[in-house]
Amino acid sequence: MGPDARNFTWSRPDGSVRSRIDFAFTSKSVRIRQHSMVTVHFSDHRAIRFHGELTGKFLRGPGTWKLNSSLLGREDVQEELRRTYSEWQDMKDTFQPIGEWWEWEKGRIQDFFKNVGRKAARGRRKEFSRLQQQLQELHDLQLRGWDVMNPLEAVKKELREHFHDESRRIIFRSKVENRE
């Protein structure tokens, strides 16, 4: 936020000690449009939120797609794939030679798993929003004098598990190139 800004990202609960220990670094090609500090009720750190804009031209390629193999272990995905695949197999007779059907089929399988993966990600984001809202509501009740310690701890535990899972996903994605 600049050297003259006096926003602190960490402080003791009583406010006696404050520090600017959390930072957000960006490339010089990112022009920051907005920035703010956000109170995080389950932490003694404030979050840094900023919106940036990429300057210049950035070419974006098609990238690579990899099957999210964790989806294969889900019974609902297996059942949906079985049903859908049997429909695709009925299309075999319309292709000559059979290799054309297989090329078509591979694309359908990829699209199927991309859609299932998007739905799973949307579900995780929705669940995270629900937990954040629940945490905020419990925190507000606590400020009004209600005894909500047990439900508050349960929501915090769920959020810790969510962050643990998300961090594992990020770490895996960051090392995919190195694992090939």
Side-chain angles (χ1 to χ4, degrees), residues 1-2 5-13 15 17-25 35-50:
M1 294 188 176
R6 301 311 291 164
N7 284 305
F8 301 97
T9 58
W10 175 83
S11 65
R12 283 193 177 161
V17 178
R18 298 181 299 186
S19 181
R20 296 169 59 188
I21 60 175
D22 298 299
F23 297 90
F25 296 98
H35 56 274
S36 61
M37 303 295 291
V38 182
T39 300
V40 180
H41 298 288
F42 56 86
S43 174
D44 58 352
H45 290 257
R46 293 171 68 199
I48 300 169
R49 177 187 298 163
F50 70 91

Side-chain angles (χ1 to χ4, degrees), residues 26 36 51 53 87 148:
T26 67
S36 61
H51 292 99
E53 178 182 300
E87 293 171 11
V148 292

